[in-house]
Amino acid sequence: MSNLTNTTCPDPEQEQLFVGVYSVVFIFGLTLNLTALVVFFRNSKSRSHTTVYMINLAFADIILVCTLPVRIYFHGGLGLLNARICEFTGLILLSNMYSSIFLLMCISFDRCIAVCFPLSSLVREGRKKAWCVCLGIWILTIATSLPIYFQQKKDNTFITKHNVTCFGGVPEHATKRATLVSTLIVGFGIPLTVMILSSWGLIRAISKSTAVQTSDLVDSGRIKRMIITNLAVFLFCFLPYHVMLLLIYAYGHPCPLLTAYRYSLMIACLNAMLDPVAYYFTTETFRRKMEVETVRKIRQMNSHSSDGNNRSRAPLTS
């Protein structure tokens, strides 16, 4: 999101790049996430708790990519845009971006506790509340976005004839101290910390599981690569955007920083296209390796292992 301001750094070649990338993200992001939703709902009988988070993640990504045609229109210089449209679509994009961040955190955490504590009744009962957690995430992101929209709604001016403001301006609200601190800590810092710890816990559990290391039924290397890939995608998409917010707050908004900020937001939008690949399709591969009967056998092997460590379990179907 960008507030309406005259501080921009227009560049025809950059505009073409934004049009091209946003178009690709819109087409593939919409197609892949809709495909994922169709598969999820067709396989409702085998739906797991993690799948609940994935369904909500797909919805969040679909809503995000549906705002991209407005950005394509803007960067393509196709006409004038109303200030209210700019603010509304910008807020929708950011709101769903943070919904995706929180949902990715929940997916990682849910997988971790399912693997590390497969026999815990407390964990099983907690995982059943996935829909409640998702509802809380939607309420949180919407409730924090609406006040900003109504504050900006007072300004209903039109974009200048050069069409250089709207998405080309300074993210003034996002770089205010209070907003920036809450964004960096709650919106990004905590989810990143949870994902790193969850990924470490998963890899540690897999490495210490005797059954996984000795069984030909489980490809532990592939599972570890899946975990690392998911974390790498998260960092690649969202770290540059939050670093740029911090730099703009610290050094103001010269053209190089504003240009870098616009690129970082574009990279963050790539997540909507990468999520289905990084989470849904890798999860399906994971599932095919870990059928229910296989999981039961590995649990039995673990329960009779010599170290007697109940936490050294094989990964479960998530």
Side-chain angles (χ1 to χ4, degrees):
M1 181 194 69
S2 297
N3 290 344
L4 298 180
T5 173
N6 292 324
T7 306
T8 64
C9 309
D11 185 323
E13 293 184 0
Q14 289 178 10
E15 300 306 310
Q16 293 176 6
L17 176 63
F18 287 124
V19 170
V21 173
Y22 282 133
S23 298
V24 170
V25 175
F26 173 73
I27 294 170
F28 285 96
L30 189 63
T31 302
L32 291 173
N33 282 289
L34 285 175
T35 302
L37 284 178
V38 169
V39 175
F40 284 142
F41 285 112
R42 279 186 177 179
N43 296 277
S44 57
K45 291 183 179 179
S46 59
R47 187 181 301 164
S48 67
H49 303 301
T50 305
T51 306
V52 174
Y53 295 114
M54 290 186 176
I55 290 172
N56 282 268
L57 177 63
F59 274 118
D61 287 340
I62 287 172
I63 296 172
L64 186 152
V65 299
C66 285
T67 68
L68 297 184
V70 180
R71 292 180 179 269
I72 295 169
Y73 183 91
F74 165 74
H75 290 294
L78 301 178
L80 301 180
L81 285 172
N82 186 281
R84 192 174 295 179
I85 294 176
C86 295
E87 292 297 339
F88 181 73
T89 54
L91 282 169
I92 292 296
L93 185 147
L94 283 187
S95 175
N96 284 277
M97 184 178 80
Y98 284 105
S99 294
S100 297
I101 288 175
F102 286 124
L103 289 166
L104 291 171
M105 174 190 71
C106 290
I107 291 172
S108 183
F109 181 72
D110 185 75
R111 282 176 169 173
C112 179
I113 61 174
V115 169
C116 295
F117 308 99
L119 303 180
S120 171
S121 58
L122 184 62
V123 168
R124 286 199 300 270
E125 290 301 315
R127 296 184 71 211
K128 290 179 182 178
K129 297 182 175 17
W131 281 110
C132 296
V133 175
C134 292
L135 178 61
I137 290 173
W138 287 111
I139 292 174
L140 174 64
T141 53
I142 293 173
T144 53
S145 300
L146 285 178
I148 302 173
Y149 172 68
F150 286 115
Q151 178 183 356
Q152 299 296 335
K153 190 176 178 181
K154 298 175 183 178
D155 184 0
N156 194 28
T157 58
F158 279 82
I159 304 307
T160 66
K161 64 179 181 179
H162 297 293
N163 201 23
V164 294
T165 49
C166 191
F167 301 124
V170 180
E172 292 180 354
H173 180 80
T175 51
K176 290 180 180 178
R177 175 178 292 185
T179 305
L180 182 62
V181 170
S182 61
T183 297
L184 293 179
I185 295 176
V186 179
F188 181 69
I190 292 176
L192 176 60
T193 302
V194 171
M195 289 193 68
I196 291 174
L197 292 176
S198 298
S199 300
W200 173 80
L202 275 170
I203 293 174
R204 183 172 179 271
I206 293 169
S207 300
K208 294 186 68 175
S209 174
T210 305
V212 171
Q213 300 303 321
T214 59
S215 175
D216 295 332
L217 299 173
V218 182
D219 188 343
S220 61
R222 172 175 287 185
I223 296 173
K224 290 178 182 178
R225 288 193 297 273
M226 178 192 76
I227 296 167
I228 295 172
T229 299
N230 292 341
L231 182 60
V233 168
F234 183 89
L235 287 170
F236 170 76
C237 291
F238 298 123
L239 182 60
Y241 172 77
H242 292 89
V243 169
M244 290 315 306
L245 289 181
L246 187 60
L247 290 177
I248 290 175
Y249 172 78
Y251 298 105
H253 37 77
C255 276
L257 279 184
L258 277 183
T259 300
Y261 165 78
R262 296 171 72 195
Y263 279 118
S264 70
L265 185 59
M266 179 182 69
I267 292 172
C269 291
L270 292 175
N271 183 74
M273 181 177 65
L274 296 176
D275 278 341
V277 177
Y279 283 86
Y280 169 65
F281 293 110
T282 54
T283 299
E284 285 303 296
T285 301
F286 187 49
R287 277 184 172 176
R288 285 195 293 269
K289 285 287 182 180
M290 296 293 294
E291 297 295 339
V292 175
E293 287 301 319
T294 302
V295 174
R296 290 176 180 172
K297 291 178 181 179
I298 293 176
R299 280 185 181 178
Q300 292 174 0
M301 291 171 64
N302 273 332
S303 64
H304 293 91
S305 62
S306 58
D307 58 9
N309 187 356
N310 287 332
R311 294 181 59 178
S312 178
R313 303 289 179 180
L316 305 182
T317 307
S318 59

mmCIF file of all heavy atoms in Angstrom, residues 30-66:
data_model
loop_
_atom_site.group_PDB
_atom_site.id
_atom_site.type_symbol
_atom_site.label_atom_id
_atom_site.label_comp_id
_atom_site.label_asym_id
_atom_site.label_seq_id
_atom_site.Cartn_x
_atom_site.Cartn_y
_atom_site.Cartn_z
ATOM 1 N N LEU A 30 -3.729 -17.317 -9.294
ATOM 2 C CA LEU A 30 -5.162 -17.624 -9.290
ATOM 3 C C LEU A 30 -5.410 -19.067 -9.706
ATOM 4 O O LEU A 30 -6.181 -19.789 -9.062
ATOM 5 C CB LEU A 30 -5.894 -16.664 -10.225
ATOM 6 C CG LEU A 30 -7.424 -16.696 -10.199
ATOM 7 C CD1 LEU A 30 -7.954 -16.298 -8.826
ATOM 8 C CD2 LEU A 30 -7.994 -15.779 -11.279
ATOM 9 N N THR A 31 -4.741 -19.508 -10.761
ATOM 10 C CA THR A 31 -4.943 -20.868 -11.267
ATOM 11 C C THR A 31 -4.508 -21.924 -10.257
ATOM 12 O O THR A 31 -5.253 -22.874 -9.963
ATOM 13 C CB THR A 31 -4.165 -21.064 -12.585
ATOM 14 O OG1 THR A 31 -4.588 -20.092 -13.543
ATOM 15 C CG2 THR A 31 -4.401 -22.466 -13.140
ATOM 16 N N LEU A 32 -3.310 -21.767 -9.696
ATOM 17 C CA LEU A 32 -2.781 -22.767 -8.777
ATOM 18 C C LEU A 32 -3.582 -22.828 -7.478
ATOM 19 O O LEU A 32 -3.857 -23.917 -6.956
ATOM 20 C CB LEU A 32 -1.316 -22.468 -8.468
ATOM 21 C CG LEU A 32 -0.324 -22.674 -9.621
ATOM 22 C CD1 LEU A 32 1.053 -22.172 -9.242
ATOM 23 C CD2 LEU A 32 -0.268 -24.138 -10.030
ATOM 24 N N ASN A 33 -3.964 -21.676 -6.952
ATOM 25 C CA ASN A 33 -4.720 -21.677 -5.695
ATOM 26 C C ASN A 33 -6.143 -22.199 -5.879
ATOM 27 O O ASN A 33 -6.664 -22.892 -5.002
ATOM 28 C CB ASN A 33 -4.741 -20.268 -5.097
ATOM 29 C CG ASN A 33 -3.439 -19.908 -4.401
ATOM 30 O OD1 ASN A 33 -3.120 -20.438 -3.342
ATOM 31 N ND2 ASN A 33 -2.671 -19.018 -5.003
ATOM 32 N N LEU A 34 -6.761 -21.883 -7.001
ATOM 33 C CA LEU A 34 -8.089 -22.450 -7.278
ATOM 34 C C LEU A 34 -8.005 -23.962 -7.450
ATOM 35 O O LEU A 34 -8.870 -24.700 -6.969
ATOM 36 C CB LEU A 34 -8.691 -21.807 -8.532
ATOM 37 C CG LEU A 34 -9.216 -20.380 -8.372
ATOM 38 C CD1 LEU A 34 -9.666 -19.829 -9.732
ATOM 39 C CD2 LEU A 34 -10.378 -20.332 -7.370
ATOM 40 N N THR A 35 -6.943 -24.420 -8.122
ATOM 41 C CA THR A 35 -6.741 -25.864 -8.286
ATOM 42 C C THR A 35 -6.557 -26.538 -6.924
ATOM 43 O O THR A 35 -7.126 -27.607 -6.667
ATOM 44 C CB THR A 35 -5.503 -26.132 -9.163
ATOM 45 O OG1 THR A 35 -5.680 -25.507 -10.431
ATOM 46 C CG2 THR A 35 -5.293 -27.631 -9.355
ATOM 47 N N ALA A 36 -5.765 -25.901 -6.060
ATOM 48 C CA ALA A 36 -5.553 -26.457 -4.728
ATOM 49 C C ALA A 36 -6.864 -26.547 -3.959
ATOM 50 O O ALA A 36 -7.144 -27.560 -3.304
ATOM 51 C CB ALA A 36 -4.553 -25.598 -3.959
ATOM 52 N N LEU A 37 -7.703 -25.515 -4.048
ATOM 53 C CA LEU A 37 -8.988 -25.532 -3.343
ATOM 54 C C LEU A 37 -9.886 -26.646 -3.857
ATOM 55 O O LEU A 37 -10.555 -27.331 -3.072
ATOM 56 C CB LEU A 37 -9.694 -24.184 -3.499
ATOM 57 C CG LEU A 37 -9.166 -23.032 -2.651
ATOM 58 C CD1 LEU A 37 -9.947 -21.757 -2.955
ATOM 59 C CD2 LEU A 37 -9.272 -23.357 -1.162
ATOM 60 N N VAL A 38 -9.906 -26.834 -5.169
ATOM 61 C CA VAL A 38 -10.733 -27.899 -5.751
ATOM 62 C C VAL A 38 -10.293 -29.253 -5.207
ATOM 63 O O VAL A 38 -11.113 -30.081 -4.798
ATOM 64 C CB VAL A 38 -10.638 -27.880 -7.295
ATOM 65 C CG1 VAL A 38 -11.274 -29.138 -7.880
ATOM 66 C CG2 VAL A 38 -11.328 -26.642 -7.848
ATOM 67 N N VAL A 39 -8.985 -29.493 -5.183
ATOM 68 C CA VAL A 39 -8.466 -30.774 -4.686
ATOM 69 C C VAL A 39 -8.760 -30.929 -3.199
ATOM 70 O O VAL A 39 -9.150 -32.008 -2.741
ATOM 71 C CB VAL A 39 -6.954 -30.875 -4.955
ATOM 72 C CG1 VAL A 39 -6.383 -32.145 -4.331
ATOM 73 C CG2 VAL A 39 -6.685 -30.860 -6.450
ATOM 74 N N PHE A 40 -8.575 -29.871 -2.425
ATOM 75 C CA PHE A 40 -8.851 -29.936 -0.987
ATOM 76 C C PHE A 40 -10.299 -30.325 -0.716
ATOM 77 O O PHE A 40 -10.587 -31.194 0.109
ATOM 78 C CB PHE A 40 -8.560 -28.586 -0.324
ATOM 79 C CG PHE A 40 -7.097 -28.310 -0.133
ATOM 80 C CD1 PHE A 40 -6.590 -27.025 -0.309
ATOM 81 C CD2 PHE A 40 -6.211 -29.319 0.220
ATOM 82 C CE1 PHE A 40 -5.246 -26.761 -0.123
ATOM 83 C CE2 PHE A 40 -4.869 -29.066 0.406
ATOM 84 C CZ PHE A 40 -4.380 -27.789 0.225
ATOM 85 N N PHE A 41 -11.225 -29.679 -1.410
ATOM 86 C CA PHE A 41 -12.644 -29.935 -1.140
ATOM 87 C C PHE A 41 -13.108 -31.269 -1.714
ATOM 88 O O PHE A 41 -14.040 -31.874 -1.195
ATOM 89 C CB PHE A 41 -13.490 -28.781 -1.684
ATOM 90 C CG PHE A 41 -13.421 -27.540 -0.837
ATOM 91 C CD1 PHE A 41 -12.811 -26.389 -1.306
ATOM 92 C CD2 PHE A 41 -13.946 -27.531 0.448
ATOM 93 C CE1 PHE A 41 -12.728 -25.253 -0.523
ATOM 94 C CE2 PHE A 41 -13.869 -26.397 1.247
ATOM 95 C CZ PHE A 41 -13.264 -25.256 0.758
ATOM 96 N N ARG A 42 -12.470 -31.736 -2.783
ATOM 97 C CA ARG A 42 -12.814 -33.056 -3.322
ATOM 98 C C ARG A 42 -12.356 -34.177 -2.398
ATOM 99 O O ARG A 42 -12.941 -35.255 -2.381
ATOM 100 C CB ARG A 42 -12.168 -33.242 -4.701
ATOM 101 C CG ARG A 42 -12.932 -32.575 -5.828
ATOM 102 C CD ARG A 42 -12.323 -32.933 -7.170
ATOM 103 N NE ARG A 42 -13.087 -32.362 -8.262
ATOM 104 C CZ ARG A 42 -12.756 -32.498 -9.551
ATOM 105 N NH1 ARG A 42 -11.658 -33.179 -9.873
ATOM 106 N NH2 ARG A 42 -13.498 -31.954 -10.477
ATOM 107 N N ASN A 43 -11.272 -33.917 -1.645
ATOM 108 C CA ASN A 43 -10.741 -34.917 -0.721
ATOM 109 C C ASN A 43 -11.073 -34.548 0.718
ATOM 110 O O ASN A 43 -10.230 -34.634 1.603
ATOM 111 C CB ASN A 43 -9.231 -35.047 -0.903
ATOM 112 C CG ASN A 43 -8.861 -35.568 -2.277
ATOM 113 O OD1 ASN A 43 -8.870 -36.764 -2.532
ATOM 114 N ND2 ASN A 43 -8.539 -34.652 -3.182
ATOM 115 N N SER A 44 -12.305 -34.130 0.942
ATOM 116 C CA SER A 44 -12.711 -33.671 2.276
ATOM 117 C C SER A 44 -12.649 -34.789 3.316
ATOM 118 O O SER A 44 -12.442 -34.532 4.503
ATOM 119 C CB SER A 44 -14.130 -33.093 2.225
ATOM 120 O OG SER A 44 -15.042 -34.061 1.727
ATOM 121 N N LYS A 45 -12.815 -36.036 2.889
ATOM 122 C CA LYS A 45 -12.799 -37.144 3.848
ATOM 123 C C LYS A 45 -11.420 -37.333 4.477
ATOM 124 O O LYS A 45 -11.309 -37.747 5.624
ATOM 125 C CB LYS A 45 -13.236 -38.444 3.153
ATOM 126 C CG LYS A 45 -14.711 -38.444 2.752
ATOM 127 C CD LYS A 45 -15.098 -39.782 2.132
ATOM 128 C CE LYS A 45 -16.576 -39.806 1.755
ATOM 129 N NZ LYS A 45 -16.966 -41.093 1.138
ATOM 130 N N SER A 46 -10.379 -37.050 3.714
ATOM 131 C CA SER A 46 -9.021 -37.233 4.229
ATOM 132 C C SER A 46 -8.400 -35.902 4.678
ATOM 133 O O SER A 46 -7.197 -35.810 4.854
ATOM 134 C CB SER A 46 -8.130 -37.862 3.145
ATOM 135 O OG SER A 46 -8.083 -37.036 2.001
ATOM 136 N N ARG A 47 -9.239 -34.890 4.870
ATOM 137 C CA ARG A 47 -8.736 -33.571 5.238
ATOM 138 C C ARG A 47 -8.129 -33.608 6.638
ATOM 139 O O ARG A 47 -8.735 -34.085 7.584
ATOM 140 C CB ARG A 47 -9.868 -32.552 5.171
ATOM 141 C CG ARG A 47 -9.415 -31.116 5.363
ATOM 142 C CD ARG A 47 -10.602 -30.181 5.308
ATOM 143 N NE ARG A 47 -11.297 -30.287 4.036
ATOM 144 C CZ ARG A 47 -12.519 -29.821 3.815
ATOM 145 N NH1 ARG A 47 -13.184 -29.245 4.798
ATOM 146 N NH2 ARG A 47 -13.081 -29.953 2.636
ATOM 147 N N SER A 48 -6.925 -33.078 6.778
ATOM 148 C CA SER A 48 -6.240 -33.043 8.065
ATOM 149 C C SER A 48 -6.362 -31.651 8.666
ATOM 150 O O SER A 48 -6.905 -30.726 8.061
ATOM 151 C CB SER A 48 -4.764 -33.400 7.889
ATOM 152 O OG SER A 48 -4.101 -32.387 7.152
ATOM 153 N N HIS A 49 -5.830 -31.491 9.876
ATOM 154 C CA HIS A 49 -5.878 -30.185 10.528
ATOM 155 C C HIS A 49 -5.009 -29.173 9.781
ATOM 156 O O HIS A 49 -5.374 -27.999 9.674
ATOM 157 C CB HIS A 49 -5.427 -30.316 11.981
ATOM 158 C CG HIS A 49 -6.243 -31.291 12.767
ATOM 159 N ND1 HIS A 49 -7.599 -31.160 12.934
ATOM 160 C CD2 HIS A 49 -5.896 -32.439 13.420
ATOM 161 C CE1 HIS A 49 -8.058 -32.160 13.669
ATOM 162 N NE2 HIS A 49 -7.044 -32.962 13.971
ATOM 163 N N THR A 50 -3.874 -29.624 9.271
ATOM 164 C CA THR A 50 -3.010 -28.726 8.512
ATOM 165 C C THR A 50 -3.700 -28.256 7.244
ATOM 166 O O THR A 50 -3.511 -27.128 6.802
ATOM 167 C CB THR A 50 -1.686 -29.428 8.154
ATOM 168 O OG1 THR A 50 -1.076 -29.928 9.345
ATOM 169 C CG2 THR A 50 -0.728 -28.469 7.481
ATOM 170 N N THR A 51 -4.520 -29.122 6.650
ATOM 171 C CA THR A 51 -5.244 -28.760 5.441
ATOM 172 C C THR A 51 -6.178 -27.589 5.683
ATOM 173 O O THR A 51 -6.413 -26.778 4.781
ATOM 174 C CB THR A 51 -6.038 -29.972 4.914
ATOM 175 O OG1 THR A 51 -5.159 -31.080 4.750
ATOM 176 C CG2 THR A 51 -6.694 -29.655 3.580
ATOM 177 N N VAL A 52 -6.726 -27.478 6.876
ATOM 178 C CA VAL A 52 -7.594 -26.341 7.211
ATOM 179 C C VAL A 52 -6.826 -25.033 7.032
ATOM 180 O O VAL A 52 -7.342 -24.066 6.452
ATOM 181 C CB VAL A 52 -8.117 -26.465 8.659
ATOM 182 C CG1 VAL A 52 -8.894 -25.205 9.058
ATOM 183 C CG2 VAL A 52 -9.004 -27.694 8.798
ATOM 184 N N TYR A 53 -5.591 -25.004 7.513
ATOM 185 C CA TYR A 53 -4.771 -23.803 7.341
ATOM 186 C C TYR A 53 -4.456 -23.574 5.863
ATOM 187 O O TYR A 53 -4.426 -22.435 5.392
ATOM 188 C CB TYR A 53 -3.475 -23.934 8.128
ATOM 189 C CG TYR A 53 -3.650 -23.994 9.620
ATOM 190 C CD1 TYR A 53 -3.324 -25.142 10.343
ATOM 191 C CD2 TYR A 53 -4.159 -22.898 10.327
ATOM 192 C CE1 TYR A 53 -3.489 -25.196 11.719
ATOM 193 C CE2 TYR A 53 -4.327 -22.945 11.703
ATOM 194 C CZ TYR A 53 -3.990 -24.101 12.392
ATOM 195 O OH TYR A 53 -4.169 -24.149 13.755
ATOM 196 N N MET A 54 -4.227 -24.638 5.129
ATOM 197 C CA MET A 54 -3.903 -24.502 3.712
ATOM 198 C C MET A 54 -5.084 -23.972 2.915
ATOM 199 O O MET A 54 -4.908 -23.190 1.968
ATOM 200 C CB MET A 54 -3.431 -25.847 3.156
ATOM 201 C CG MET A 54 -2.081 -26.284 3.678
ATOM 202 S SD MET A 54 -1.514 -27.779 2.867
ATOM 203 C CE MET A 54 0.121 -27.940 3.601
ATOM 204 N N ILE A 55 -6.292 -24.398 3.269
ATOM 205 C CA ILE A 55 -7.486 -23.892 2.595
ATOM 206 C C ILE A 55 -7.605 -22.383 2.811
ATOM 207 O O ILE A 55 -7.850 -21.613 1.873
ATOM 208 C CB ILE A 55 -8.743 -24.613 3.105
ATOM 209 C CG1 ILE A 55 -8.749 -26.065 2.624
ATOM 210 C CG2 ILE A 55 -10.012 -23.897 2.643
ATOM 211 C CD1 ILE A 55 -9.856 -26.906 3.224
ATOM 212 N N ASN A 56 -7.426 -21.956 4.046
ATOM 213 C CA ASN A 56 -7.490 -20.529 4.341
ATOM 214 C C ASN A 56 -6.351 -19.767 3.674
ATOM 215 O O ASN A 56 -6.533 -18.628 3.221
ATOM 216 C CB ASN A 56 -7.461 -20.309 5.853
ATOM 217 C CG ASN A 56 -8.795 -20.571 6.515
ATOM 218 O OD1 ASN A 56 -9.614 -19.678 6.687
ATOM 219 N ND2 ASN A 56 -9.039 -21.828 6.880
ATOM 220 N N LEU A 57 -5.173 -20.402 3.590
ATOM 221 C CA LEU A 57 -4.043 -19.783 2.906
ATOM 222 C C LEU A 57 -4.357 -19.582 1.429
ATOM 223 O O LEU A 57 -4.053 -18.528 0.859
ATOM 224 C CB LEU A 57 -2.801 -20.653 3.078
ATOM 225 C CG LEU A 57 -1.525 -20.188 2.364
ATOM 226 C CD1 LEU A 57 -1.076 -18.831 2.904
ATOM 227 C CD2 LEU A 57 -0.409 -21.216 2.526
ATOM 228 N N ALA A 58 -4.983 -20.573 0.811
ATOM 229 C CA ALA A 58 -5.353 -20.454 -0.604
ATOM 230 C C ALA A 58 -6.352 -19.321 -0.811
ATOM 231 O O ALA A 58 -6.248 -18.549 -1.769
ATOM 232 C CB ALA A 58 -5.931 -21.777 -1.108
ATOM 233 N N PHE A 59 -7.325 -19.193 0.093
ATOM 234 C CA PHE A 59 -8.288 -18.103 -0.003
ATOM 235 C C PHE A 59 -7.595 -16.748 0.133
ATOM 236 O O PHE A 59 -7.895 -15.795 -0.611
ATOM 237 C CB PHE A 59 -9.372 -18.249 1.059
ATOM 238 C CG PHE A 59 -10.510 -19.123 0.658
ATOM 239 C CD1 PHE A 59 -10.797 -20.292 1.355
ATOM 240 C CD2 PHE A 59 -11.311 -18.792 -0.423
ATOM 241 C CE1 PHE A 59 -11.849 -21.111 0.978
ATOM 242 C CE2 PHE A 59 -12.369 -19.607 -0.816
ATOM 243 C CZ PHE A 59 -12.643 -20.772 -0.111
ATOM 244 N N ALA A 60 -6.684 -16.630 1.097
ATOM 245 C CA ALA A 60 -5.960 -15.372 1.294
ATOM 246 C C ALA A 60 -5.143 -15.014 0.053
ATOM 247 O O ALA A 60 -5.112 -13.846 -0.366
ATOM 248 C CB ALA A 60 -5.051 -15.470 2.519
ATOM 249 N N ASP A 61 -4.501 -16.000 -0.531
ATOM 250 C CA ASP A 61 -3.696 -15.742 -1.729
ATOM 251 C C ASP A 61 -4.573 -15.370 -2.920
ATOM 252 O O ASP A 61 -4.192 -14.526 -3.747
ATOM 253 C CB ASP A 61 -2.850 -16.978 -2.063
ATOM 254 C CG ASP A 61 -1.698 -17.173 -1.087
ATOM 255 O OD1 ASP A 61 -1.329 -16.191 -0.417
ATOM 256 O OD2 ASP A 61 -1.186 -18.305 -0.991
ATOM 257 N N ILE A 62 -5.749 -15.978 -3.032
ATOM 258 C CA ILE A 62 -6.662 -15.643 -4.121
ATOM 259 C C ILE A 62 -7.141 -14.196 -3.998
ATOM 260 O O ILE A 62 -7.189 -13.443 -4.980
ATOM 261 C CB ILE A 62 -7.861 -16.609 -4.140
ATOM 262 C CG1 ILE A 62 -7.411 -17.981 -4.649
ATOM 263 C CG2 ILE A 62 -8.992 -16.067 -5.031
ATOM 264 C CD1 ILE A 62 -8.458 -19.063 -4.525
ATOM 265 N N ILE A 63 -7.494 -13.794 -2.783
ATOM 266 C CA ILE A 63 -7.934 -12.409 -2.568
ATOM 267 C C ILE A 63 -6.803 -11.443 -2.903
ATOM 268 O O ILE A 63 -7.014 -10.389 -3.513
ATOM 269 C CB ILE A 63 -8.412 -12.210 -1.116
ATOM 270 C CG1 ILE A 63 -9.643 -13.074 -0.841
ATOM 271 C CG2 ILE A 63 -8.745 -10.744 -0.859
ATOM 272 C CD1 ILE A 63 -10.071 -13.089 0.613
ATOM 273 N N LEU A 64 -5.583 -11.811 -2.510
ATOM 274 C CA LEU A 64 -4.432 -10.949 -2.798
ATOM 275 C C LEU A 64 -4.235 -10.782 -4.309
ATOM 276 O O LEU A 64 -4.091 -9.657 -4.793
ATOM 277 C CB LEU A 64 -3.173 -11.536 -2.153
ATOM 278 C CG LEU A 64 -1.902 -10.691 -2.219
ATOM 279 C CD1 LEU A 64 -0.998 -11.000 -1.028
ATOM 280 C CD2 LEU A 64 -1.108 -10.931 -3.508
ATOM 281 N N VAL A 65 -4.225 -11.892 -5.050
ATOM 282 C CA VAL A 65 -3.959 -11.784 -6.487
ATOM 283 C C VAL A 65 -5.098 -11.070 -7.215
ATOM 284 O O VAL A 65 -4.877 -10.493 -8.288
ATOM 285 C CB VAL A 65 -3.705 -13.175 -7.131
ATOM 286 C CG1 VAL A 65 -2.488 -13.836 -6.516
ATOM 287 C CG2 VAL A 65 -4.922 -14.075 -7.030
ATOM 288 N N CYS A 66 -6.299 -11.075 -6.642
ATOM 289 C CA CYS A 66 -7.420 -10.375 -7.278
ATOM 290 C C CYS A 66 -7.274 -8.857 -7.205
ATOM 291 O O CYS A 66 -7.998 -8.132 -7.888
ATOM 292 C CB CYS A 66 -8.742 -10.805 -6.642
ATOM 293 S SG CYS A 66 -9.277 -12.454 -7.166
#
